[in-house]
Structures are given as structure tokens and as C-alpha cells.
Amino acid sequence: MNTEATPQTIYLKDYTPPAYLVDSLSLRFDLDEVATVVHARMRMHANPDAVAGQPLRLDGQELALLAIRLNGRELDTCDYRIDAESLMLDSPPVEFELEIVTRINPSANTALEGLYTSSGNFCTQCEAEGFRKITYYPDRSDVMSVFTTTIVADKTKCPVLLSNGNPIERGELDGGRHFVTWQDPFPKPCYLFALVAGDLACVTDRFTTSSGRDVLLQIYVQHGNEDKTGHAMTSLKKAMAWDEQAYGREYDLDIYMIVAVDDFNMGAMENKGLNIFNSRYVLARPETATDADFYGIESVIGHEYFHNWSGNRVTCRDWFQLSLKEGFTVFRDQQFSADMNSAAVKRIDDVTMLRTHQFAEDAGPMAHPVRPDSYVEINNFYTLTVYEKGAELIHMLHTLLGGEGFRKGSDLYFERHDGQAVTCDDFIRAMADANDRDLSSFMGWYSQAGTPVVTVRREYDAANRTLTLHTSQHCPPTPGQEKKSPQLIPIATAVLDSDGQALPLRLEGESGEAPMERVLLLEQAAQSWCFSDIPETAVPSLLRNFSAPVKLDTDYSDNELAFLMGHDSDPFNRWNAGQELALKVLLERYGALQQGEKPGLPTGLAGAFADTLADTALDPALVAEAITLPQESYVAEFIEGCDPEVLHVAHRGLQHELAAAYRKALLEIMVRNHQSGEYRLDAEAMARRRLKNRCLHYLMLLDDESIAAQCREQYEGASNMTDAMAALAALVHNGHESAQAALDDFYSRWKGDALVLDKWFSLQALSPQPDTFERVQSLAQHPDFNIRNPNRVRSLIGAFAMRNPAGFHRGDGEAYRFHTDFVMQLDKLNPQVAARLLTPLTQWRRYDALRQEIMRGQLHRILDSGACSRDVYEIVSKSLA
């Protein structure tokens, strides 16, 4: 598109109900790679809740209109208006049948929206607005209809024909073609439509619901990948059973299908009864997938299944309400993963993601509320704010209402709104009504952008043995929101004695038994709480289990942080105390390096690190997280005008000193957690591998040939991808002389497996070695690099730009120029992925003046080209505003 014609901004305040509704939609696809013909027959009626007399607007893009009939009468060009975005009929009847025939070219669809081809198969992606690339239709989430879909294709090329719902008819046709007709009995918006056709292998299983219904489970994959579906199938059955137990939600169709495709913009899609997945979230066996891959598959399988109720049966009225389904469902998949694995480590992983990436989004030019008030391109709002922060809002509700109250609220929500397209307000209203609570003040979280900062200061009265917590909150200004109102912030709190035991928390003036933990509700700009009978040595444990998505500013001393790291009964806060202590040290080291000084290893952090290593009672996975320093990108949030290269030296140097100081303990732990024999995929085995490989990471910093020999031995003898990748990364990221030979060996072994090869690209892109940028440039020309495949793009370009700050932000700015060139090239093929790759450049204000100037110049270069997509235009223009 030409950016001289500024794209239109869509506003929440301008929402109006659809002028016409669709009672039923019958689709017929005559599939052809370059000329698919789509017949659509709609039964429609005027919406009684809309303003009468409006024209009928049908969305459509990149379509060849072959025919249009109204109540059987062929229309000619004077009966309708058509442009690049829509087809309009000025005055249709109150009730009518509309038939439209279009032609599309799936093989030319590099944007992967609508109907496209992947590895010779046909598949669709219609969320958010891809259905308009299939046929003319009111492509909005509040138009729900019953779909019947007939797929016709060459039987040899496409023996498998799938769509939503249940199959109701199939048969043979002339010319070697065949058809299958599917009917979905549940009304749905068109974004939940799906079609898959091709030559695929099918793995089947069955699940019996709590009411005794038998459900056929099918996973479709490329031939030869059948042996990689076992974990996905097990995860699906676990998710179905968990949703029945935790939420009382039973599956509602006779068949549930998952299809793995290689070319997909997202992780997966919850289309009703036919989930289409990026193959990385389906295919796994120990030799090809890491523990993290197995963990991710379980989570994403659960997420898309849980959408059957929180997104499909109850959907969102408009795209501003996206977090209604995504935030709620992310919370549900977090609960599921916590129940299936270590709840403490799951919480740490979720908060690390939030603080490292979503907090940065909140602090940048793309900051927006969980429910945005405007957008130019809806694909740009599939963000961490909508998903991860949205899930934290649901987590807060769970904290406020308790488990039983939250379940009452969700039951009422599903009962009240089944089959409807609703809003975030409807969800909060159901939670409030079910618990007889006023939650109106909670809605501020949906409308206000930015990360609140909560300050807590202590006042101790020795004479009266009282501890007063003085709290205040403020939220920095964000684009379009200069002044912020106080939010309702639940602060889960305990106070620990010198042995780490929680003390009764009795507010001054209270009587009766006091709880050991309280949720303090900070609702005003400043509030105080005074607790009685507290010893002077007691230490408060604040924001336990990360009870609100805020930054916490406390007056803890280093000794108190070390005490909490070693004694807090809340696993999250125990880990977090170590992170806070390490953050302090890293900021001090950064400042010292900026001044040309050589920092030492502080005794407080060193002692806490040693105590954690020595605590054999701790979950090994929790130990692995506790000895992991905060990520460089998170630390950069606390440095104005950050120089990422100096920060990297501070970060790597601190790791090296810790490794040198505790070499013996790290080696002992690595040996103790070595596992021989058959690979086990259970929480204990995964935890031991996690800790062992974290110790290996530290030890390989020491340039010790005996350790390097152990690392090579682990790589060469690894029976699973987790250990192989950990050892290979340690060799490559430390520039060991055997690294290239190991990389060549890995490539020759796995060049035929696309998902494993993605790991090979990523591992090199993430290396902290000084030649990584040149290596990335070379890999972008590699025969196996494919700019049209989103996974491959993310594995190389995305990994380098988003997860290698020192490499990407090198001082000469050459990486910025390379990245911009790539984004501009990709934008012509896949605007959605190109826009997401821009994230590192949009954060230019965080860095020093020289980097700011170069990054800003590259953003202007994109804008000045006059040829960027709407997706990219919105990101760039907001970044420069």
C-alpha cells in the first residue's frame, strides 16, 4: 500500500451493531492451487438492534468476483458497489438469500491469511480478518452463523478433506474428484472457520467425557511424522479431563481434530472442532524436541482446547475485546500447566516472560490497554499486553475472589453468555454477580495502559511492637494517557520471623484469630496498614506469588533480600528476592564499568548463590531458576540511555565470577543430576536436566578444557535433544574450538527435519560471540533459509533481533540496517510477521543517543519508502510519534 493515503484508525467508541445478520452459511470449495472457486450461499436478515435502512457491507480482499445473486436473481454491476476492501448492496430486503461466487489463488497467498497452501496442502487462517480473503462476507466477530461446508478436490492429491463440526456426507465425483460435507451445529463467527485438504497421515484416539459421550480424537500430520504425535495426544486428553474437573466444561462435538502445518503465522488456532497448529506445537519425540518443546506443546494444546468454551461457545463482540478470550484462556492454560508440572516454576516462567517483554511493551510507543481503544491493523494487537497482562488480570480476580468464588463466576459467565458474542464488561459483571461483589473499580485495568509502580516503606514502633506498611502507587504516562488513576491492586502479604515462619497478621484494633497471609487491597494513591505484635527483626514478604502485574519498589536491604531468598515459604518470592539482589548487583557493575572501574563479587549475592546450591531440599528446577540472573533485556529497563554492549560485559562477567567461585559445587550438582538410561518426561527428570544444564552453562564460561571435554561428551552421547542442545549451545556460545565441527555434525544429522533445523539457526543467532552478526548475515543466504516460512524467519532473524541484545545493538548500527532491509523485503510477502519483527527497533528510546539516532533513521527509511503495509505502517508511525 502507499502510505501517502494514511490508513484508517478504528475506534472502540465507534462500535455499532451489524446492520445484517447471517442465519446460515453454506460454502462449497472447488479446490485448485491457483484457481479455487468458492460458492457461498447466505440466509440473511436485517438486525432489529441496528439502525434501519443501512446498506449491506460485505468485506472482501484479493477476490475475483464471478457471480452474485439475490434471491436467485443475477445482479449486474449497477446493483452493487465494489472496491478493494468491500462489496456493498444499498437496499436489500429485510430477509433474503445471497449467493456469491469468487475465485482465489491459494498458492500466491504468502501472507498466510485466508486460504493458502503449505507443503502441498490447503489450509486456512481466518483470525482475525482472513475470511474476507476467501469470500465476500461480514467479517466481524459479532456476526455468528451455522456453517455447512462442502469441499471438492482431486482425490489423489487431497484424500483428506476437513472442516468444522461433524462430517455429514461424502462421495465420489467425475474426473477423479471427491467431496466431503461438514456441518457445525454451533453458530460461530467466520474467524473460527477452518478448512484443511491434502495428503496427510492421521493418528487417532478416543476420549470419554464425564457424561459418557465418546469423542473421536484425530491428529493429522505429514506422512512420516506419526511417531511424533504421542505427547500432543496425551496432552489433549489431559486437557479435556482437566477442563471437566476444574471448570465443569465438557466437549460438545463428536470429533476433535488437530492439524499440524509447517507454514503458520501464529502458534495455533482454535477453529471450532478443527484446530490448526504450527507444527512446532504438535511434533515431538525425545531425539528431536527439548523439554521446553514438550512443555510448550502441552501448554498450547491445552490453550486451544480450552478456547472451545472461552472463545468459541462464548466469543468476543469485537476485536477490542480480544483479551476476553485470550487473557482468560492464557490464565486457564497456565493453571493447567501448573497442575501438570511444578506450579512454582510455571509461575516463575510466566512472570519472567511478563517482566522481560510485556513490561517493555508497556514502557514503549506501542503501549496500550488490555482493551485497546483504537487500532489501525488488528493483527498488531495480538500482543503480550492482551495475552499475558490480560491473563494477570484474571489471576488478580482469582486472588480477589478465591478459587471457589472464581469458579462460581466462570460458571455464571458460561451459562449466561453461551452462544453469544460479548465484552470484557460482561465477564467482570458475571464474576461480580456470582460473588455479590462490586468489581466496577477493577475495570480500570482494562482501560489504562502502563505498568503501575507500587512503593512500600516500613515504619516500626518498638515500644508498641507494630509494623506499619506505607504503600503508594503511580503509573508512568503512556501514549495518549498522560494522567493515570489509581488501580485496584491486590498485594498478597505475609510477615516472616527470623526463622522464616509466617507470623499472625492482625491489623491494629482487630481481635480474634489472625491469618498468616492477607491480601491488602491498594485502591487509592496511598494507603497504610498497621500490624500488631510484630518483632523488630521480622521481614515482610510482599506481592506473594506475584499477586498483581506491577513493579514493586521496596526498602529491603541486601541482607533482607538474601534472607528472603533463603527462607521465604512462597517459592515465587524466594526466587524473586534473588532476582532483586542480582539486579542491584548488575546495575552497580554496569555503572562501575561505565566509569572504567573493575567491580568485584558482592558477598551478599555470593552467599545467597552458595546457599541455594547447597539446599538439596529444593526442587532442582527451582534451584535452576534461582541461580539464573535476570535477563539483559530486563535489566536494561532500569538503565536510562542503556549501552547494551556494556551491560552484556557486566552480565557475562558476573556469571563468570560466580562460576569461578563455586566451580566445585556446580560440578558436583552437574554430576549428581546426570541421568543415564531411557529418557523420562516427568517433572523430576525435567527438573534435574534443567539444573544440570544450567550448571554446565556456568562452568563453560571458565575456559576449562576438562569441562569442555565433558561438554563435548554430553553432546556426542546425548540420548535426547535437551542435553544435546544444551551442550551444543555451551560450545558455540563460548567460542570453543570444537564448536564449528559440532555445528556441522548437528546439521548433517538433522538437515531433513525442519523443526530441529530451526534450533540450529536459533542457536547460532543467539551466540554472544563478536562474529554473530556476520554469521546471521551468512545464514540468511543459506539454502535452508526460507523467508516465506515464519518459523525459519523467527528462528534466525527474530532470535537475533529480539533475544541477542548485545549482538543486535552493536555500536556501528549495521545490524539495524540489515534488519530493516529484511523487514522491508518480508513486508511485501507477509506483513503480519514483518510487523512483529519490528519490535526491537520500536524501543529506540531506551538506548544511548548514538543508537537512538541510527534506529530512528531506519524507522524513517521504512516510512519514507512509501510502500509499507498497513501492519508495518502502524508500528513505525506510532514508534516515531
Side-chain angles (χ1 to χ4, degrees):
M1 62 167 290
N2 191 318
T3 56
E4 292 178 5
T6 305
Q8 179 185 3
T9 300
I10 310 297
Y11 293 95
L12 171 60
K13 63 181 176 63
D14 293 337
Y15 171 82
T16 55
Y20 293 85
L21 299 175
V22 183
D23 301 310
S24 64
L25 171 64
S26 294
L27 293 165
R28 178 187 168 99
F29 289 81
D30 285 286
L31 293 179
D32 182 90
E33 289 187 353
V34 298
T36 289
V37 176
V38 182
H39 299 251
R41 186 173 74 253
M42 296 166 259
R43 294 292 309 173
M44 306 187 72
H45 70 273
N47 184 359
D49 296 328
V51 176
Q54 296 183 75
L56 169 64
R57 184 186 193 278
L58 303 177
D59 301 294
Q61 293 177 3
E62 302 171 23
L63 304 173
L65 180 63
L66 302 183
I68 178 170
R69 303 179 189 90
L70 180 67
N71 289 334
R73 180 177 69 86
E74 192 88 28
L75 301 183
D76 58 37
T77 53
C78 64
D79 295 315
Y80 59 88
R81 291 171 287 135
I82 193 168
D83 59 29
E85 300 281 338
S86 65
L87 184 153
M88 304 274 284
L89 277 72
D90 282 328
S91 53
V94 173
E95 295 184 2
F96 57 95
E97 181 176 273
L98 186 66
E99 294 179 78
I100 294 177
V101 184
T102 54
R103 185 178 64 243
I104 53 180
N105 183 350
S107 65
N109 185 356
T110 60
L112 311 184
E113 296 176 299
L115 178 69
Y116 63 95
T117 55
S118 172
S119 303
N121 300 305
F122 294 88
C123 63
T124 57
Q125 172 56 33
C126 294
E127 188 178 356
E129 296 177 338
F131 195 78
R132 63 190 61 193
K133 294 186 176 183
I134 292 174
T135 189
Y136 288 101
Y137 191 79
D139 190 357
R140 44 190 292 169
S141 58
D142 56 355
V143 174
M144 304 173 72
S145 180
V146 174
F147 281 60
T148 302
T149 305
T150 297
I151 310 168
V152 179
D154 182 283
K155 189 172 184 179
T156 302
K157 292 181 179 179
C158 297
V160 173
L161 305 175
L162 309 175
S163 192
N164 310 89
N166 300 312
I168 59 172
E169 187 180 2
R170 63 181 69 238
E172 306 294 320
L173 299 171
D174 294 338
R177 295 173 76 78
H178 69 138
F179 76 93
V180 179
T181 298
W182 294 79
Q183 188 170 69
D184 184 354
F186 296 97
K188 65 175 180 285
C190 63
Y191 84 85
L192 291 172
F193 170 77
L195 178 153
V196 173
D199 186 5
L200 296 165
C202 179
V203 177
T204 65
D205 206 331
R206 308 198 84 85
F207 180 83
T208 303
T209 68
S210 56
S211 67
R213 291 179 53 252
D214 184 57
V215 180
L216 175 63
L217 309 179
Q218 295 182 323
I219 298 180
Y220 289 88
V221 296
Q222 296 282 348
H223 291 282
N225 285 330
E226 295 93 326
D227 63 339
K228 299 178 185 176
T229 61
H231 180 65
M233 186 67 83
T234 298
S235 299
L236 174 59
K237 293 168 74 173
K238 285 181 179 179
M240 296 177 81
W242 182 88
D243 208 21
E244 291 182 347
Q245 186 273 325
Y247 282 86
R249 299 296 110 192
E250 185 176 301
Y251 188 60
D252 50 9
L253 290 169
D254 299 331
I255 185 171
Y256 188 90
M257 298 169 287
I258 289 173
V259 180
V261 299
D262 292 335
D263 303 292
F264 205 66
N265 286 339
M266 300 182 180
M269 179 59 208
E270 71 267 20
N271 322 288
K272 182 70 179 181
L274 176 58
N275 290 182
I276 301 177
F277 272 65
N278 188 317
S279 56
R280 65 174 295 199
Y281 290 114
V282 174
L283 305 179
R285 64 172 191 260
E287 299 81 9
T288 63
T290 63
D291 290 347
D293 294 328
F294 280 104
Y295 193 81
I297 288 168
E298 182 179 75
S299 173
V300 176
I301 290 279
H303 180 96
E304 304 308 331
Y305 175 75
F306 301 145
H307 264 314
N308 188 59
W309 279 91
S310 52
N312 295 3
R313 288 284 289 260
V314 183
T315 194
C316 46
R317 185 196 71 177
D318 54 73
W319 291 119
F320 297 101
Q321 319 296 329
L322 181 58
S323 196
L324 173 76
K325 72 183 184 77
E326 296 300 348
F328 186 21
T329 304
V330 168
F331 174 73
R332 276 155 49 75
D333 84 53
Q334 289 173 350
Q335 287 182 299
F336 168 64
S337 294
D339 285 349
M340 297 300 108
N341 303 281
S342 165
V345 174
K346 175 59 179 168
R347 190 65 182 138
I348 289 168
D349 287 345
D350 292 337
V351 175
T352 297
M353 161 70 81
L354 186 84
R355 296 203 301 204
T356 302
H357 301 292
Q358 193 279 322
F359 278 14
E361 189 169 275
D362 257 353
M366 288 299 293
H368 58 277
V370 169
R371 178 165 61 183
D373 53 14
S374 68
Y375 63 80
V376 171
E377 172 52 62
I378 185 55
N379 287 327
N380 288 334
F381 282 87
Y382 283 74
T383 62
L384 291 165
T385 298
V386 167
Y387 279 66
E388 307 302 328
K389 186 174 181 178
E392 291 300 319
L393 269 56
I394 310 302
H395 187 272
M396 281 193 288
L397 283 173
H398 193 275
T399 299
L400 290 168
L401 302 174
E404 184 178 340
F406 186 85
R407 171 64 189 271
K408 285 169 58 180
S410 68
D411 284 349
L412 179 60
Y413 170 69
F414 290 129
E415 176 187 345
R416 181 182 282 178
H417 298 297
D418 188 12
Q420 298 178 16
V422 299
T423 67
C424 298
D425 307 81
D426 294 314
F427 178 81
I428 299 300
R429 193 174 298 115
M431 287 287 170
D433 291 349
N435 291 277
D436 196 23
R437 290 278 296 268
D438 180 4
L439 295 175
S440 56
S441 61
F442 190 81
M443 289 308 299
W445 280 102
Y446 283 94
S447 59
Q448 193 159 280
T451 305
V453 178
V454 174
T455 301
V456 181
R457 294 293 180 262
R458 290 169 287 174
E459 180 184 347
Y460 187 74
D461 184 338
N464 295 308
R465 286 174 55 85
T466 60
L467 173 67
T468 302
L469 299 179
H470 299 290
T471 66
S472 62
Q473 62 168 298
H474 80 277
C475 191
T478 53
Q481 292 185 341
E482 297 301 317
K483 293 183 178 180
K484 304 296 180 71
S485 301
Q487 301 276 50
L488 170 60
I489 300 175
I491 307 172
T493 302
V495 175
L496 310 180
D497 66 16
S498 57
D499 295 322
Q501 300 300 308
L503 296 165
L505 281 186
R506 181 176 291 106
L507 288 169
E508 196 172 31
E510 278 187 341
S511 59
E513 187 175 353
M516 299 299 184
E517 179 177 310
R518 302 186 79 122
V519 177
L520 310 179
L521 297 183
L522 176 59
E523 301 179 81
Q524 302 167 19
Q527 287 173 250
S528 297
W529 288 269
C530 182
F531 299 105
S532 303
D533 199 24
I534 303 293
E536 189 169 5
T537 55
V539 179
S541 171
L542 303 166
L543 205 71
R544 290 163 75 80
N545 203 37
F546 200 65
S547 56
V550 301
K551 295 179 179 178
L552 191 60
D553 176 9
T554 67
D555 54 2
Y556 288 132
S557 68
D558 289 359
N559 287 337
E560 287 174 324
L561 287 172
F563 167 79
L564 291 170
M565 186 178 177
H567 295 87
D568 202 323
S569 58
D570 180 77
F572 174 84
N573 269 16
R574 188 168 186 167
W575 166 82
N576 189 59
Q579 295 290 291
E580 291 297 310
L581 189 56
L583 176 62
K584 280 187 174 186
V585 172
L586 285 165
L587 293 175
E588 290 167 1
R589 291 176 72 89
Y590 176 87
L593 288 170
Q594 288 280 63
Q595 299 301 316
E597 301 170 3
K598 186 176 180 181
L601 180 61
T603 57
L605 178 63
F609 191 90
D611 290 345
T612 301
L613 291 177
D615 191 343
T616 56
L618 276 180
D619 175 3
L622 192 56
V623 174
E625 292 306 303
I627 64 173
T628 302
L629 299 183
Q631 293 183 30
E632 292 171 43
S633 53
Y634 176 64
V635 180
E637 290 290 313
F638 297 87
I639 302 172
E640 186 174 351
C642 180
D643 183 329
E645 292 178 299
V646 174
L647 176 57
H648 176 69
V649 172
H651 196 273
R652 192 170 176 86
L654 180 56
Q655 291 183 82
H656 185 277
E657 290 184 40
L658 288 167
Y662 300 104
R663 179 184 185 278
K664 182 180 178 182
L666 290 164
L667 266 172
E668 289 174 351
I669 292 171
M670 194 170 80
V671 171
R672 188 166 65 241
N673 285 278
H674 175 72
Q675 301 167 77
S676 57
E678 187 176 347
Y679 174 85
R680 286 173 32 229
L681 186 63
D682 55 63
E684 180 194 356
M686 291 170 73
R688 290 177 61 189
R689 283 191 291 272
R690 192 168 186 158
L691 178 54
K692 176 192 71 173
N693 289 322
R694 176 51 51 183
C695 291
L696 177 64
H697 163 83
Y698 271 106
L699 289 165
M700 278 295 288
L701 295 168
L702 297 179
D703 195 21
D704 184 320
E705 189 51 42
S706 66
I707 295 169
Q710 292 184 56
C711 187
R712 288 196 303 273
E713 183 180 340
Q714 176 171 313
Y715 169 72
E716 292 165 1
S719 63
N720 61 84
M721 186 57 71
T722 304
D723 285 343
M725 282 296 293
L728 182 59
L731 291 169
V732 173
H733 293 182
N734 289 286
H736 194 268
E737 61 183 14
S738 63
Q740 189 58 52
L743 280 170
D744 293 343
D745 173 74
F746 190 92
Y747 175 79
S748 66
R749 239 194 268 187
W750 296 110
K751 59 185 178 182
D753 189 311
L755 294 180
V756 180
L757 205 55
D758 285 339
K759 302 179 194 302
W760 183 78
F761 278 98
S762 283
L763 184 144
Q764 296 175 79
L766 295 173
S767 172
Q769 292 300 304
D771 66 343
T772 295
F773 171 54
E774 288 75 19
R775 183 180 287 267
V776 168
Q777 287 181 298
S778 175
L779 288 169
Q781 303 303 316
H782 193 281
D784 287 307
F785 183 78
N786 179 7
I787 192 173
R788 293 172 181 255
N789 179 263
N791 281 356
R792 192 55 47 86
V793 169
R794 286 187 285 255
S795 72
L796 180 66
I797 308 300
F800 177 65
M802 297 183 183
R803 296 163 53 203
N804 190 344
F808 181 69
H809 294 287
R810 49 186 272 169
D812 62 8
E814 286 304 309
Y816 301 151
R817 297 180 183 94
F818 166 79
H819 189 68
T820 300
D821 289 342
F822 186 89
V823 167
M824 293 171 72
Q825 181 185 359
L826 181 61
D827 191 30
K828 295 178 173 62
L829 301 170
N830 192 326
Q832 191 177 142
V833 175
R836 289 173 185 165
L837 283 182
L838 277 171
T839 298
L841 286 178
T842 68
Q843 296 167 351
W844 58 270
R845 290 176 178 84
R846 297 167 54 184
Y847 301 102
D848 58 85
L850 176 61
R851 287 179 173 85
Q852 284 193 22
E853 182 180 356
I854 302 172
M855 295 169 81
R856 194 169 61 243
Q858 295 307 305
L859 290 169
H860 275 294
R861 186 156 71 91
I862 295 172
L863 205 59
D864 293 344
S865 72
C868 58
S869 67
R870 185 166 60 187
D871 306 60
V872 166
Y873 172 82
E874 179 175 27
I875 300 292
V876 174
S877 59
K878 287 184 175 180
S879 300
L880 292 170

